Amino acid sequence: MACMGCCKAMRPRYKRLVDDIFPVNPEDGLVKNNMDKLTFYALSSPEKLDRIGEYLASRLSRDVARRRIALVKIAMDALDQLLVSCHDYSLNLFVESFLKMVQKLLECDELELQILATSSFVKFANIEEDTPSYHRRYDFFVSKFSAMCHSSADCETDRSKYVQLIHRFLYQVRWLQKHNRIRILKDDIGS
């Protein structure tokens, strides 16, 4: 047991901070005090934001594979909070990890995770960037969201939630397109 505490102290600080946001009982949700510490750390050391994103992405991938939905929700909540809080030049590095995680959730068969991913993507699309990145690839998201619009969800309530999020997403895509922040064929988003 003593070795376990010793090994934890030897881990990088960002990993310890990320691990601390996850409660012992996943149903308790995100540990708010520890999330505040992680956000403060990310704001004071923006160069670590990409590592935080990569580590959260690896945890999320593991939890998705093991079908730990509550832990996946906590990871996405943390990502959303970090994304909104950290407006900095290094945000572009973090966004790549964020988009990988959203893509991972959209590729799942779980409707709940797809809705969570769509909601997070809409929050991301609402963020004003000082210098937009034109190198990002949104093709996957546009085609996936279009396919989701035409899918048949099991529950009508879930489907209506789905469609609401898709409409918000399409509005954002059109806004981004109008302001020349992305270029997408009109066939992809349904004029």
Side-chain angles (χ1 to χ4, degrees):
M1 275 302 198
C3 181
M4 199 143 179
C6 175
C7 291
K8 184 177 180 182
M10 295 173 71
R11 297 180 60 161
R13 184 159 189 232
Y14 73 92
K15 285 186 178 184
R16 287 182 305 204
L17 289 170
V18 169
D19 289 339
D20 289 345
I21 66 171
F22 293 91
V24 175
N25 180 7
E27 302 306 318
D28 293 342
L30 186 69
V31 178
K32 178 90 172 98
N33 290 340
N34 292 338
M35 184 62 212
D36 292 341
K37 290 177 188 176
L38 179 62
T39 303
F40 179 77
Y41 178 76
L43 288 170
S44 15
S45 303
E47 69 279 0
K48 302 285 187 187
L49 199 52
D50 62 329
R51 292 183 189 166
I52 292 169
E54 287 173 12
Y55 185 61
L56 268 168
S58 69
R59 281 200 62 139
L60 184 122
S61 294
R62 185 183 68 212
D63 292 335
V64 166
R66 294 178 180 170
R67 303 256 189 242
R68 295 178 179 168
I69 306 299
L71 292 175
V72 170
K73 288 180 182 178
I74 291 169
M76 287 308 291
D77 187 20
L79 284 166
D80 290 343
Q81 288 185 36
L82 285 171
L83 199 60
V84 170
S85 300
C86 301
H87 294 291
D88 195 77
Y89 64 93
S90 63
L91 187 63
N92 284 331
L93 298 171
F94 178 73
V95 166
E96 296 304 319
S97 296
F98 173 79
L99 292 175
K100 280 187 221 169
M101 290 181 265
V102 170
Q103 182 173 349
K104 178 93 172 156
L105 293 181
L106 287 172
E107 291 171 342
C108 289
D109 294 334
E110 300 275 337
L111 180 63
E112 185 179 8
L113 294 182
Q114 291 176 349
I115 290 172
L116 181 66
T118 306
S119 177
S120 287
F121 190 86
V122 168
K123 289 175 192 170
F124 161 72
N126 284 322
I127 293 174
E128 287 284 333
E129 290 181 85
D130 294 334
T131 55
S133 290
Y134 296 103
H135 69 279
R136 290 193 198 119
R137 308 292 275 151
Y138 295 101
D139 301 342
F140 168 81
F141 298 103
V142 172
S143 63
K144 183 65 178 178
F145 291 140
S146 296
M148 288 164 63
C149 283
H150 300 292
S151 74
S152 57
D154 296 338
C155 175
E156 194 58 38
T157 308
D158 288 340
R159 179 152 172 76
S160 67
K161 205 191 275 187
Y162 219 44
V163 171
Q164 270 184 318
L165 289 170
I166 300 293
H167 284 292
R168 284 178 32 208
F169 164 74
L170 291 176
Y171 172 78
Q172 287 301 322
V173 168
R174 287 187 182 111
W175 184 88
L176 290 169
Q177 213 177 6
K178 179 180 172 186
H179 291 81
N180 293 324
R181 291 176 71 180
I182 61 171
R183 297 192 195 295
I184 298 173
L185 297 174
K186 289 196 183 265
D187 294 342
D188 289 340
I189 60 172
S191 316

